[in-house]
Amino acid sequence: MPHSHDTHQTMTHRYARQMILPELGPHGQERLRQASVLCVGAGGLGSPVLLYLAAAGIGRLGIVDDDRVEISNLQRQILFTESDIHRGKAEVAAQKLAQLNSQCQIDAHPMRLTAANALSLMADYDVIVDGTDTVASKGLLNEACVRLGKPLVHGAILGFHAQVSIFWGRHGPCYRCLYPHPPQGAVANCAEAGVMGAMAGMVGALQGLQALKMALGLAWCHTHGLDPLLGRLWVLDARTMNTRILTLTPQASCPVCAGDPDSVVLQDTPQVACTPREAQDVRGIDVAQARLCAPETLFLDVREAFEWRNGHIAGARHLPLGQLLAETHALEDLPLNAPIVAYCQHGIRSLTGAAHLQRLGYTNVHHLEGGFVRWL
Ligand SMILES: [Zn+2]
């Protein structure tokens, strides 16, 4: 029992370092105590998110994760230690967080987020944090948040690239305003693309800070000069440490947030768009070879519109992967023997794109190894 830890004086002492901030103060601290946050995924992102939120005194924290701790998780999932291997992540996380802050109510949900349980899991929380690492889960979380009118603290990592934003249907754009054609399972996760633990720590800590701002509330943020990443996408290239903030606007054509929230349909998206076997059959070319391609070669940019706008290979044609996969007629003006080089940012989505083109019958398809980043 937390006998002596719950007196007012102890509480004040516990949070003293943040309560002396004029942006927080005792009233802000009380708001945090009354707030609830659900973190979906207790992995590389979820670990720092949950640790910082519990430490900061969020009143109630939910953890959704059906995985078990594996040794390969310990490189970045700082909630866990060697003695936790094979134990359920949600249960271990709940135990560790209770040790960190016994005043924080912790709900462990040892289950996978699905279209069937998303709304009931999320309905009871003020703020939702995305600690998942697949496009399918990110889409499902987004759709459920739009349905429920809840803010979603988004974070994603690919190699040394990262992004953080807050999506909130009523107050700004949603995830689908940014990615209208979700490439189904085509964006690599940590297992495929690799990740440094400190990258997950950095992005998770930033998500934690955004969640705290959302727990304080928009009105509080505005009166105290705190500007959450609502309608803004923070992007980082950690190789150079260049950061940018892109402004995002709600899209009138958004398939999710533009209409009536009640009509948003939740769907479980299958993960596999490109089997390892198919990927193996795709021929890759490096940048030097690509620069020597015949002039009639079509460079097909399968990235999203905002990536295309930030720069692309001269003369390339733009067709986001999701659209390429979904619209069978998108390339019907091209003869099946047309030389095509598919490319994306890092050479991962382009693999799926090229495999799909081969499936459609195109015979002269390559994908650009290392993607646009290496081209530059
Ligand atoms: Zn939207």
Side-chain angles (χ1 to χ4, degrees):
M1 279 297 290
H3 317 284
S4 60
H5 297 297
D6 51 2
T7 66
H8 178 72
Q9 202 180 358
T10 316
M11 293 290 287
T12 307
H13 192 49
R14 173 174 205 130
Y15 303 114
R17 291 298 182 281
Q18 63 193 46
M19 283 170 69
I20 56 172
L21 291 168
E23 291 82 0
L24 196 73
H27 295 296
Q29 189 62 48
E30 177 56 20
R31 280 182 169 252
L32 298 186
R33 194 185 67 78
Q34 288 173 8
S36 57
V37 178
L38 180 73
C39 185
V40 181
L45 297 175
S47 288
V49 167
L50 288 163
L51 284 166
Y52 277 119
L53 293 183
I58 288 286
R60 191 162 58 89
L61 279 175
I63 309 157
V64 180
D65 203 309
D66 70 335
D67 267 354
R68 291 183 175 276
V69 180
E70 292 175 36
I71 189 138
S72 65
N73 299 153
L74 302 186
Q75 167 260 4
R76 65 192 179 285
Q77 302 185 10
I78 56 172
L79 266 171
F80 312 118
T81 55
E82 289 179 7
S83 60
D84 301 321
I85 289 170
H86 304 315
R87 293 183 62 202
K89 286 186 184 177
E91 175 210 344
V92 178
Q95 198 182 340
K96 302 264 165 101
L97 298 171
Q99 285 167 358
L100 171 60
N101 191 344
S102 57
Q103 298 300 307
C104 180
Q105 185 193 323
I106 299 163
D107 320 324
H109 305 284
M111 55 187 75
R112 172 166 291 272
L113 187 86
T114 64
N117 66 19
L119 295 178
S120 59
L121 269 176
M122 291 159 61
D124 207 18
Y125 295 88
D126 302 322
V127 181
I128 314 296
V129 178
D130 180 354
T132 71
D133 68 349
T134 68
V135 172
S137 308
K138 288 180 184 306
L140 177 59
L141 265 177
N142 178 68
E143 268 80 301
C145 280
V146 171
R147 262 288 278 276
L148 295 167
K150 293 189 189 284
L152 175 62
V153 181
H154 163 84
I157 301 176
L158 188 67
F160 283 91
H161 294 257
Q163 62 186 44
V164 175
S165 189
I166 299 172
F167 298 118
W168 198 358
R170 288 175 197 171
H171 302 271
C174 81
Y175 178 72
R176 290 276 182 249
C177 293
L178 188 59
Y179 299 104
H181 302 283
Q184 302 193 344
V187 172
N189 59 25
C190 290
E192 300 155 55
V195 64
M196 295 298 291
M199 283 291 290
M202 187 164 47
V203 172
L206 254 174
Q207 286 182 278
L209 188 61
Q210 298 307 311
L212 288 169
K213 289 182 180 180
M214 287 292 95
L216 289 169
L218 265 195
W220 181 282
C221 286
H222 289 152
T223 42
H224 292 80
L226 300 172
D227 204 359
L229 281 169
L230 198 56
R232 297 184 301 151
L233 182 74
W234 176 89
V235 295
L236 163 73
D237 180 345
R239 296 168 309 171
T240 57
M241 287 313 285
N242 283 330
T243 62
R244 294 175 63 187
I245 293 182
L246 310 174
T247 301
L248 306 175
T249 45
Q251 300 297 302
S253 60
C254 177
V256 174
C257 72
D260 175 10
D262 289 337
S263 64
V264 172
V265 179
L266 305 189
Q267 272 181 312
D268 291 312
T269 316
Q271 275 297 302
V272 180
C274 161
T275 66
R277 176 63 197 273
E278 282 177 323
Q280 234 172 45
D281 290 343
V282 173
R283 289 162 296 172
I285 57 170
D286 60 27
V287 167
Q289 290 169 310
R291 290 193 194 278
L292 295 174
C293 280
E296 68 270 22
T297 303
L298 173 73
F299 281 86
L300 189 67
D301 187 322
V302 300
R303 299 173 304 162
E304 298 300 322
F306 76 97
E307 298 175 291
W308 166 266
R309 281 195 300 269
N310 276 332
H312 50 261
I313 295 176
R317 177 154 156 188
H318 181 222
L319 183 62
L321 183 61
Q323 211 173 329
L324 169 64
L325 296 178
E327 297 170 14
T328 45
H329 303 300
L331 281 175
E332 64 181 2
D333 57 309
L334 281 182
L336 289 177
N337 62 354
I340 302 173
V341 175
Y343 77 94
C344 62
Q345 195 74 0
H346 298 278
I348 293 160
R349 279 169 287 176
S350 59
L351 206 53
T352 299
H356 183 69
L357 288 170
Q358 293 188 167
R359 215 182 295 147
L360 292 177
Y362 289 90
T363 55
N364 192 2
V365 181
H366 290 81
H367 98 108
L368 181 62
E369 290 165 354
F372 186 59
V373 164
R374 202 173 292 168
W375 176 274
L376 288 178

PDB file of all heavy atoms in Angstrom, residues 3-25:
ATOM      1  N   HIS A   3       1.116   3.966   1.590  1.00  0.00           N
ATOM      2  CA  HIS A   3       0.745   4.789   2.759  1.00  0.00           C
ATOM      3  C   HIS A   3       1.137   6.255   2.628  1.00  0.00           C
ATOM      4  O   HIS A   3       0.323   7.120   2.351  1.00  0.00           O
ATOM      5  CB  HIS A   3       1.424   4.261   4.033  1.00  0.00           C
ATOM      6  CG  HIS A   3       1.406   2.780   4.160  1.00  0.00           C
ATOM      7  ND1 HIS A   3       0.281   2.091   4.532  1.00  0.00           N
ATOM      8  CD2 HIS A   3       2.379   1.869   3.942  1.00  0.00           C
ATOM      9  CE1 HIS A   3       0.551   0.794   4.558  1.00  0.00           C
ATOM     10  NE2 HIS A   3       1.818   0.637   4.191  1.00  0.00           N
ATOM     11  N   SER A   4       2.440   6.481   2.791  1.00  0.00           N
ATOM     12  CA  SER A   4       2.888   7.858   2.961  1.00  0.00           C
ATOM     13  C   SER A   4       2.987   8.604   1.637  1.00  0.00           C
ATOM     14  O   SER A   4       3.280   9.779   1.619  1.00  0.00           O
ATOM     15  CB  SER A   4       4.261   7.855   3.628  1.00  0.00           C
ATOM     16  OG  SER A   4       5.159   7.156   2.801  1.00  0.00           O
ATOM     17  N   HIS A   5       2.733   7.892   0.516  1.00  0.00           N
ATOM     18  CA  HIS A   5       2.974   8.543  -0.773  1.00  0.00           C
ATOM     19  C   HIS A   5       1.796   9.368  -1.266  1.00  0.00           C
ATOM     20  O   HIS A   5       1.855   9.979  -2.303  1.00  0.00           O
ATOM     21  CB  HIS A   5       3.310   7.485  -1.824  1.00  0.00           C
ATOM     22  CG  HIS A   5       4.561   6.744  -1.506  1.00  0.00           C
ATOM     23  ND1 HIS A   5       5.776   7.366  -1.436  1.00  0.00           N
ATOM     24  CD2 HIS A   5       4.766   5.446  -1.210  1.00  0.00           C
ATOM     25  CE1 HIS A   5       6.687   6.461  -1.118  1.00  0.00           C
ATOM     26  NE2 HIS A   5       6.103   5.304  -0.968  1.00  0.00           N
ATOM     27  N   ASP A   6       0.662   9.327  -0.531  1.00  0.00           N
ATOM     28  CA  ASP A   6      -0.503   9.989  -1.103  1.00  0.00           C
ATOM     29  C   ASP A   6      -0.926  11.252  -0.351  1.00  0.00           C
ATOM     30  O   ASP A   6      -1.987  11.771  -0.585  1.00  0.00           O
ATOM     31  CB  ASP A   6      -1.676   8.997  -1.225  1.00  0.00           C
ATOM     32  CG  ASP A   6      -1.944   8.269   0.085  1.00  0.00           C
ATOM     33  OD1 ASP A   6      -1.252   8.576   1.064  1.00  0.00           O
ATOM     34  OD2 ASP A   6      -2.836   7.415   0.090  1.00  0.00           O
ATOM     35  N   THR A   7      -0.106  11.723   0.554  1.00  0.00           N
ATOM     36  CA  THR A   7      -0.480  12.987   1.176  1.00  0.00           C
ATOM     37  C   THR A   7      -0.270  14.125   0.185  1.00  0.00           C
ATOM     38  O   THR A   7       0.514  13.998  -0.751  1.00  0.00           O
ATOM     39  CB  THR A   7       0.388  13.273   2.416  1.00  0.00           C
ATOM     40  OG1 THR A   7       1.722  13.482   1.960  1.00  0.00           O
ATOM     41  CG2 THR A   7       0.348  12.133   3.401  1.00  0.00           C
ATOM     42  N   HIS A   8      -0.995  15.200   0.400  1.00  0.00           N
ATOM     43  CA  HIS A   8      -0.903  16.329  -0.513  1.00  0.00           C
ATOM     44  C   HIS A   8       0.532  16.846  -0.607  1.00  0.00           C
ATOM     45  O   HIS A   8       1.037  17.134  -1.681  1.00  0.00           O
ATOM     46  CB  HIS A   8      -1.845  17.445  -0.057  1.00  0.00           C
ATOM     47  CG  HIS A   8      -1.778  18.656  -0.923  1.00  0.00           C
ATOM     48  ND1 HIS A   8      -2.298  18.665  -2.208  1.00  0.00           N
ATOM     49  CD2 HIS A   8      -1.210  19.864  -0.724  1.00  0.00           C
ATOM     50  CE1 HIS A   8      -2.062  19.844  -2.744  1.00  0.00           C
ATOM     51  NE2 HIS A   8      -1.402  20.603  -1.880  1.00  0.00           N
ATOM     52  N   GLN A   9       1.174  16.873   0.560  1.00  0.00           N
ATOM     53  CA  GLN A   9       2.538  17.409   0.592  1.00  0.00           C
ATOM     54  C   GLN A   9       3.493  16.555  -0.228  1.00  0.00           C
ATOM     55  O   GLN A   9       4.309  17.065  -0.998  1.00  0.00           O
ATOM     56  CB  GLN A   9       3.016  17.464   2.046  1.00  0.00           C
ATOM     57  CG  GLN A   9       4.151  18.451   2.240  1.00  0.00           C
ATOM     58  CD  GLN A   9       4.594  18.480   3.693  1.00  0.00           C
ATOM     59  OE1 GLN A   9       4.040  17.792   4.553  1.00  0.00           O
ATOM     60  NE2 GLN A   9       5.596  19.283   3.981  1.00  0.00           N
ATOM     61  N   THR A  10       3.335  15.210  -0.082  1.00  0.00           N
ATOM     62  CA  THR A  10       4.194  14.308  -0.845  1.00  0.00           C
ATOM     63  C   THR A  10       3.940  14.478  -2.337  1.00  0.00           C
ATOM     64  O   THR A  10       4.861  14.465  -3.144  1.00  0.00           O
ATOM     65  CB  THR A  10       3.934  12.838  -0.434  1.00  0.00           C
ATOM     66  OG1 THR A  10       3.855  12.783   0.974  1.00  0.00           O
ATOM     67  CG2 THR A  10       5.022  11.944  -0.937  1.00  0.00           C
ATOM     68  N   MET A  11       2.658  14.619  -2.696  1.00  0.00           N
ATOM     69  CA  MET A  11       2.307  14.807  -4.102  1.00  0.00           C
ATOM     70  C   MET A  11       2.989  16.052  -4.659  1.00  0.00           C
ATOM     71  O   MET A  11       3.563  16.040  -5.739  1.00  0.00           O
ATOM     72  CB  MET A  11       0.781  14.968  -4.258  1.00  0.00           C
ATOM     73  CG  MET A  11      -0.007  13.740  -3.940  1.00  0.00           C
ATOM     74  SD  MET A  11       0.232  12.474  -5.190  1.00  0.00           S
ATOM     75  CE  MET A  11      -0.723  13.200  -6.523  1.00  0.00           C
ATOM     76  N   THR A  12       2.881  17.128  -3.890  1.00  0.00           N
ATOM     77  CA  THR A  12       3.474  18.383  -4.336  1.00  0.00           C
ATOM     78  C   THR A  12       4.977  18.227  -4.514  1.00  0.00           C
ATOM     79  O   THR A  12       5.561  18.705  -5.481  1.00  0.00           O
ATOM     80  CB  THR A  12       3.168  19.495  -3.318  1.00  0.00           C
ATOM     81  OG1 THR A  12       1.767  19.515  -3.108  1.00  0.00           O
ATOM     82  CG2 THR A  12       3.612  20.846  -3.821  1.00  0.00           C
ATOM     83  N   HIS A  13       5.575  17.502  -3.583  1.00  0.00           N
ATOM     84  CA  HIS A  13       7.012  17.295  -3.642  1.00  0.00           C
ATOM     85  C   HIS A  13       7.379  16.430  -4.843  1.00  0.00           C
ATOM     86  O   HIS A  13       8.338  16.700  -5.562  1.00  0.00           O
ATOM     87  CB  HIS A  13       7.468  16.635  -2.333  1.00  0.00           C
ATOM     88  CG  HIS A  13       8.946  16.635  -2.162  1.00  0.00           C
ATOM     89  ND1 HIS A  13       9.725  17.763  -2.333  1.00  0.00           N
ATOM     90  CD2 HIS A  13       9.799  15.631  -1.854  1.00  0.00           C
ATOM     91  CE1 HIS A  13      10.994  17.451  -2.131  1.00  0.00           C
ATOM     92  NE2 HIS A  13      11.073  16.169  -1.854  1.00  0.00           N
ATOM     93  N   ARG A  14       6.583  15.394  -5.059  1.00  0.00           N
ATOM     94  CA  ARG A  14       6.841  14.447  -6.142  1.00  0.00           C
ATOM     95  C   ARG A  14       6.905  15.151  -7.501  1.00  0.00           C
ATOM     96  O   ARG A  14       7.761  14.862  -8.329  1.00  0.00           O
ATOM     97  CB  ARG A  14       5.730  13.396  -6.161  1.00  0.00           C
ATOM     98  CG  ARG A  14       5.832  12.482  -7.347  1.00  0.00           C
ATOM     99  CD  ARG A  14       4.819  11.337  -7.303  1.00  0.00           C
ATOM    100  NE  ARG A  14       5.362  10.270  -8.099  1.00  0.00           N
ATOM    101  CZ  ARG A  14       5.468   9.005  -7.739  1.00  0.00           C
ATOM    102  NH1 ARG A  14       5.005   8.622  -6.575  1.00  0.00           N
ATOM    103  NH2 ARG A  14       6.004   8.131  -8.529  1.00  0.00           N
ATOM    104  N   TYR A  15       5.959  16.054  -7.736  1.00  0.00           N
ATOM    105  CA  TYR A  15       5.872  16.706  -9.050  1.00  0.00           C
ATOM    106  C   TYR A  15       6.450  18.123  -9.043  1.00  0.00           C
ATOM    107  O   TYR A  15       6.189  18.907  -9.952  1.00  0.00           O
ATOM    108  CB  TYR A  15       4.413  16.734  -9.522  1.00  0.00           C
ATOM    109  CG  TYR A  15       3.787  15.352  -9.582  1.00  0.00           C
ATOM    110  CD1 TYR A  15       2.737  14.999  -8.739  1.00  0.00           C
ATOM    111  CD2 TYR A  15       4.278  14.408 -10.476  1.00  0.00           C
ATOM    112  CE1 TYR A  15       2.183  13.723  -8.790  1.00  0.00           C
ATOM    113  CE2 TYR A  15       3.726  13.126 -10.521  1.00  0.00           C
ATOM    114  CZ  TYR A  15       2.687  12.794  -9.683  1.00  0.00           C
ATOM    115  OH  TYR A  15       2.153  11.535  -9.731  1.00  0.00           O
ATOM    116  N   ALA A  16       7.235  18.421  -7.998  1.00  0.00           N
ATOM    117  CA  ALA A  16       7.710  19.797  -7.802  1.00  0.00           C
ATOM    118  C   ALA A  16       8.407  20.355  -9.040  1.00  0.00           C
ATOM    119  O   ALA A  16       8.168  21.505  -9.426  1.00  0.00           O
ATOM    120  CB  ALA A  16       8.660  19.843  -6.598  1.00  0.00           C
ATOM    121  N   ARG A  17       9.240  19.538  -9.691  1.00  0.00           N
ATOM    122  CA  ARG A  17      10.034  20.049 -10.816  1.00  0.00           C
ATOM    123  C   ARG A  17       9.180  20.501 -11.992  1.00  0.00           C
ATOM    124  O   ARG A  17       9.561  21.371 -12.743  1.00  0.00           O
ATOM    125  CB  ARG A  17      11.034  18.990 -11.299  1.00  0.00           C
ATOM    126  CG  ARG A  17      12.149  18.697 -10.336  1.00  0.00           C
ATOM    127  CD  ARG A  17      13.023  19.921 -10.066  1.00  0.00           C
ATOM    128  NE  ARG A  17      14.109  19.575  -9.167  1.00  0.00           N
ATOM    129  CZ  ARG A  17      14.002  19.448  -7.855  1.00  0.00           C
ATOM    130  NH1 ARG A  17      12.844  19.671  -7.264  1.00  0.00           N
ATOM    131  NH2 ARG A  17      15.039  19.114  -7.121  1.00  0.00           N
ATOM    132  N   GLN A  18       8.030  19.853 -12.169  1.00  0.00           N
ATOM    133  CA  GLN A  18       7.176  20.300 -13.273  1.00  0.00           C
ATOM    134  C   GLN A  18       6.125  21.301 -12.807  1.00  0.00           C
ATOM    135  O   GLN A  18       5.710  22.172 -13.556  1.00  0.00           O
ATOM    136  CB  GLN A  18       6.528  19.108 -13.995  1.00  0.00           C
ATOM    137  CG  GLN A  18       5.591  18.252 -13.175  1.00  0.00           C
ATOM    138  CD  GLN A  18       5.249  16.930 -13.860  1.00  0.00           C
ATOM    139  OE1 GLN A  18       6.123  16.241 -14.376  1.00  0.00           O
ATOM    140  NE2 GLN A  18       3.978  16.562 -13.866  1.00  0.00           N
ATOM    141  N   MET A  19       5.729  21.217 -11.517  1.00  0.00           N
ATOM    142  CA  MET A  19       4.694  22.143 -11.031  1.00  0.00           C
ATOM    143  C   MET A  19       5.195  23.578 -10.911  1.00  0.00           C
ATOM    144  O   MET A  19       4.392  24.514 -10.907  1.00  0.00           O
ATOM    145  CB  MET A  19       4.144  21.645  -9.684  1.00  0.00           C
ATOM    146  CG  MET A  19       3.169  20.487  -9.855  1.00  0.00           C
ATOM    147  SD  MET A  19       2.716  19.703  -8.311  1.00  0.00           S
ATOM    148  CE  MET A  19       1.733  20.979  -7.533  1.00  0.00           C
ATOM    149  N   ILE A  20       6.523  23.753 -10.821  1.00  0.00           N
ATOM    150  CA  ILE A  20       7.012  25.140 -10.774  1.00  0.00           C
ATOM    151  C   ILE A  20       7.024  25.773 -12.170  1.00  0.00           C
ATOM    152  O   ILE A  20       7.218  26.974 -12.305  1.00  0.00           O
ATOM    153  CB  ILE A  20       8.426  25.265 -10.134  1.00  0.00           C
ATOM    154  CG1 ILE A  20       9.425  24.385 -10.847  1.00  0.00           C
ATOM    155  CG2 ILE A  20       8.381  24.992  -8.648  1.00  0.00           C
ATOM    156  CD1 ILE A  20      10.869  24.605 -10.398  1.00  0.00           C
ATOM    157  N   LEU A  21       6.780  24.983 -13.202  1.00  0.00           N
ATOM    158  CA  LEU A  21       6.666  25.579 -14.533  1.00  0.00           C
ATOM    159  C   LEU A  21       5.378  26.399 -14.599  1.00  0.00           C
ATOM    160  O   LEU A  21       4.303  25.887 -14.266  1.00  0.00           O
ATOM    161  CB  LEU A  21       6.602  24.483 -15.606  1.00  0.00           C
ATOM    162  CG  LEU A  21       7.871  23.668 -15.840  1.00  0.00           C
ATOM    163  CD1 LEU A  21       7.562  22.447 -16.696  1.00  0.00           C
ATOM    164  CD2 LEU A  21       8.927  24.539 -16.513  1.00  0.00           C
ATOM    165  N   PRO A  22       5.472  27.668 -15.026  1.00  0.00           N
ATOM    166  CA  PRO A  22       4.246  28.476 -15.100  1.00  0.00           C
ATOM    167  C   PRO A  22       3.215  27.882 -16.064  1.00  0.00           C
ATOM    168  O   PRO A  22       2.021  28.099 -15.914  1.00  0.00           O
ATOM    169  CB  PRO A  22       4.742  29.848 -15.590  1.00  0.00           C
ATOM    170  CG  PRO A  22       6.131  29.628 -16.105  1.00  0.00           C
ATOM    171  CD  PRO A  22       6.674  28.410 -15.433  1.00  0.00           C
ATOM    172  N   GLU A  23       3.679  27.093 -17.056  1.00  0.00           N
ATOM    173  CA  GLU A  23       2.750  26.486 -18.023  1.00  0.00           C
ATOM    174  C   GLU A  23       1.951  25.337 -17.399  1.00  0.00           C
ATOM    175  O   GLU A  23       0.978  24.887 -17.985  1.00  0.00           O
ATOM    176  CB  GLU A  23       3.512  25.962 -19.244  1.00  0.00           C
ATOM    177  CG  GLU A  23       4.101  27.045 -20.134  1.00  0.00           C
ATOM    178  CD  GLU A  23       5.433  27.584 -19.631  1.00  0.00           C
ATOM    179  OE1 GLU A  23       5.915  27.111 -18.582  1.00  0.00           O
ATOM    180  OE2 GLU A  23       5.983  28.493 -20.282  1.00  0.00           O
ATOM    181  N   LEU A  24       2.419  24.843 -16.257  1.00  0.00           N
ATOM    182  CA  LEU A  24       1.702  23.724 -15.623  1.00  0.00           C
ATOM    183  C   LEU A  24       1.085  24.168 -14.293  1.00  0.00           C
ATOM    184  O   LEU A  24      -0.112  24.350 -14.187  1.00  0.00           O
ATOM    185  CB  LEU A  24       2.650  22.530 -15.417  1.00  0.00           C
ATOM    186  CG  LEU A  24       1.947  21.221 -15.139  1.00  0.00           C
ATOM    187  CD1 LEU A  24       1.285  20.668 -16.387  1.00  0.00           C
ATOM    188  CD2 LEU A  24       2.900  20.189 -14.546  1.00  0.00           C
ATOM    189  N   GLY A  25       1.928  24.352 -13.281  1.00  0.00           N
ATOM    190  CA  GLY A  25       1.422  24.797 -11.978  1.00  0.00           C
ATOM    191  C   GLY A  25       0.534  23.739 -11.333  1.00  0.00           C
ATOM    192  O   GLY A  25       0.282  22.685 -11.921  1.00  0.00           O
TER     193      GLY A  25
END
